[in-house]
Amino acid sequence: MVLFGTGDSLTFAFDESRRLRISAPADQLPLAAFLYTDAQADAHTVGQLVGLLRRAQREAKTWLGNGTSVAFTAEGVVLESLYGTWPPTVVPQQVFFTAIEPLHRFLLVSGAPRPKRASRARPPNTAT
């Protein structure tokens, strides 16, 4: 199964190994790639990322992620693959930020349960 693929809308799911899979319209595949490579670490990180991206937007700065640079311009958000995987793509700012919010919700709602803390076992009584 591919990491992200073409679909009618932006959707998120986990595969049988709990790896994130993203489906997006063909013209939004660079956005899906950004969400997969740079945004999806965990729900907490995604929540913090929105704040960092909003700051970059206010300061008209470019944000560099693991695989994508994100530049805020008057035309929209320019997503550029740091590895030359796709040509620079402009996404409307509203679409860009609207795409991150459902990912955040998806990760919050479907997150794996936290592992239980191991109890400290007492050593066996060896006194004789």
Side-chain angles (χ1 to χ4, degrees), residues 5-12 21-29 31-32 99:
T6 306
D8 294 333
S9 63
L10 189 62
T11 57
F12 307 99
R21 300 298 180 226
I22 301 174
S23 179
D27 64 336
Q28 293 182 3
L29 286 178
L31 178 58

Side-chain angles (χ1 to χ4, degrees), residues 28-52:
Q28 293 182 3
L29 286 178
L31 178 58
F34 161 74
L35 293 171
Y36 189 87
T37 61
D38 296 305
Q40 66 98 12
D42 59 52
H44 178 72
T45 303
V46 174
Q48 290 183 326
L49 178 61
V50 172
L52 293 171

Side-chain angles (χ1 to χ4, degrees), residues 35-107:
L35 293 171
Y36 189 87
T37 61
D38 296 305
Q40 66 98 12
D42 59 52
H44 178 72
T45 303
V46 174
Q48 290 183 326
L49 178 61
V50 172
L52 293 171
L53 291 167
R54 288 285 186 192
R55 181 176 177 185
Q57 178 189 35
R58 281 190 310 275
E59 296 175 1
K61 301 223 174 174
T62 299
W63 180 85
L64 295 176
N66 293 325
T68 310
S69 72
V70 179
F72 296 92
T73 67
E75 292 79 32
V77 180
V78 180
L79 300 173
E80 187 169 356
S81 170
L82 297 177
Y83 303 102
T85 308
W86 68 81
T89 303
V90 178
V91 177
Q93 289 190 24
Q94 185 62 29
V95 171
F96 177 76
F97 283 107
T98 301
I100 297 173
E101 293 165 9
L103 173 61
H104 189 219
R105 278 193 308 274
F106 173 79
L107 293 172

